[in-house]
Amino acid sequence: MKLRTLLLGTVAALTFSGFAVFGAAAQECERGTLDARYCDTNGDMLADTPTDPSKLADPSTLVFAFTPVEDPSIYKEVWSDFLTHLENETGRKVLFFPVQSNAAQIEAMRSGRLHIAGFNTGSNPIAVNCAGFNPFTIMASENGEFGYEMEIITYPGSGIEEVADLKGKQLAFTSPTSNSGFKAPSAILKADFDLISERDFEPVFSGKHDNSILGVANKDYAAASIANSVLKRMISRGVITQDQIKTIYQSQTFPTTGFGVAHNLTPELDEKIRNAFYNFDWEGTSLQKEFEQSNEDQFLPIDYKNLWDVIRKIDAANGVEYTCN
């Protein structure tokens, strides 16, 4: 089975069987590529807040989830100081939801069980179109820089010195919804190096970036495509050492995790949540400790329509369609 077929089959399983049970009647409105349950009357490519008060959500307990790029148990502690701040700003209890997969995270928001989230780069367009996710902020450095690069890594002595050497070898991806873990490398390898999965190399899926990185470091995988932001954090924590990894390709800079809310929260609650991100004081917090190695120390406002344009183009190159039911 070709990898493109695998991708479309996986996305179909995620969007059809995973989401069908939460069906809603289609609305007559402008929506672009959004699912039929959402409207986009202002053309920002995001689901509008419902105009019918009965369709607004005002939960007494808010649920937050961070993209499952690494061990969820680690990130419950990492986000603890921010979630305490979020509770103070909203006056609501906030629970950390340790999701195990991108599909589970998207499904949770579509079903109304997830209110605030950070979706990884590749999952953002699917979450926006299929789950009504409204991303509004991204982690950035003090001078406003943000993003990460996709890297193809191997281990010293693997016999892989450059991208062309992947031919006949094994390449680990993370999941079909990941930009750096699947979609970007698939498009780049095909367009720039004429390397196609199964024809030229053996694809395997590890599930998460940390699995792929550890797999290469321990020589279980010959090579892997990963987000270098995850790699830097793992080296900073001492999970692996720099000399266990060798990079043979680095991409352009992509936007990193986009943070946002479910589209149907009341305007008052939505505003409180956004303000909590923007007025959070990082100094001395668990969040600063985790992300200081990448110089991320603020939440910067973003425009999804423009910032994620390159990611949507990568999706188009891979034949991905945002079909949700």
Side-chain angles (χ1 to χ4, degrees):
M1 177 173 59
K2 297 297 183 184
L3 191 56
R4 181 174 180 274
T5 304
L6 174 62
L7 166 67
L8 297 178
T10 303
V11 172
L14 180 149
T15 56
F16 284 85
S17 64
F19 292 159
V21 295
F22 306 116
Q27 304 178 61
E28 292 300 325
C29 59
E30 293 295 325
R31 62 174 54 89
T33 58
L34 298 179
D35 184 52
R37 61 168 62 190
Y38 310 120
C39 293
D40 175 23
T41 57
N42 62 3
D44 64 358
M45 303 186 80
L46 302 175
D48 297 340
T49 301
T51 55
D52 182 349
S54 68
K55 295 182 179 180
L56 293 174
D58 191 21
S60 58
T61 298
L62 299 171
V63 179
F64 171 89
F66 181 57
T67 181
V69 291
E70 298 172 72
D71 183 354
S73 65
I74 294 174
Y75 283 89
K76 182 176 183 180
E77 177 58 31
V78 166
W79 284 94
S80 60
D81 289 341
F82 175 79
L83 297 188
T84 297
H85 170 72
L86 186 58
E87 289 184 333
N88 293 335
E89 290 293 305
T90 61
R92 317 290 172 97
K93 183 177 180 180
V94 181
L95 298 180
F96 182 85
F97 177 33
V99 291
Q100 298 292 335
S101 70
N102 301 133
Q105 188 180 19
I106 295 169
E107 181 180 323
M109 180 159 285
R110 182 171 168 98
S111 69
R113 294 179 286 113
L114 178 62
H115 311 111
I116 311 164
F119 282 97
N120 71 14
T121 306
S123 291
N124 249 266
I126 301 173
V128 164
N129 284 278
C130 296
F133 177 53
N134 274 210
F136 61 82
T137 188
I138 197 169
M139 286 185 179
S141 65
E142 186 177 359
N143 63 7
E145 293 182 351
F146 58 84
Y148 72 97
E149 292 77 40
M150 180 275 291
E151 292 189 10
I152 298 178
I153 61 172
T154 185
Y155 56 85
S158 67
I160 301 174
E161 300 297 328
E162 58 184 22
V163 173
D165 295 332
L166 291 172
K167 193 163 186 176
K169 305 292 196 310
Q170 183 187 73
L171 178 63
F173 295 117
T174 58
S175 70
T177 56
S178 173
N179 179 63
S180 56
F182 178 71
K183 294 192 285 189
S186 295
I188 291 168
L189 288 174
K190 179 179 179 180
D192 296 349
F193 300 97
D194 191 31
L195 290 174
I196 298 175
S197 175
E198 294 197 350
R199 188 193 75 180
D200 299 306
F201 60 87
E202 177 192 356
V204 293
F205 284 87
S206 72
K208 293 186 290 185
H209 289 271
D210 54 336
N211 292 344
S212 289
I213 294 166
L214 283 170
V216 170
N218 293 324
K219 303 181 181 180
D220 296 323
Y221 299 136
S225 64
I226 52 91
N228 63 4
S229 56
V230 179
L231 176 62
K232 292 173 183 177
R233 291 199 295 270
M234 292 179 70
I235 292 173
S236 177
R237 289 201 302 268
V239 178
I240 64 166
T241 58
Q242 183 67 64
D243 60 5
Q244 291 179 279
I245 297 294
K246 181 171 69 173
T247 297
I248 61 170
Y249 180 87
Q250 185 177 97
S251 73
Q252 70 180 84
T253 300
F254 297 119
T256 186
T257 300
F259 296 88
V261 294
H263 78 293
N264 63 335
L265 300 182
T266 64
E268 295 78 14
L269 179 56
D270 182 289
E271 182 179 10
K272 288 179 180 179
I273 293 170
R274 292 173 188 250
N275 288 338
F277 276 90
Y278 296 141
N279 66 27
F280 178 64
D281 183 0
W282 289 60
E283 188 64 30
T285 65
S286 53
L287 205 59
Q288 182 193 48
K289 182 179 179 181
E290 175 66 13
F291 291 96
E292 62 184 351
Q293 49 76 34
S294 54
N295 297 316
E296 291 168 314
D297 55 10
Q298 67 167 319
F299 287 106
L300 194 71
I302 59 168
D303 178 349
Y304 165 80
K305 182 176 181 178
N306 293 321
L307 189 58
W308 254 261
D309 180 63
V310 63
I311 307 303
R312 293 191 297 270
K313 287 177 179 176
I314 289 172
D315 280 349
N318 282 319
V320 176
E321 296 181 355
Y322 308 128
T323 306
C324 313
N325 53 29

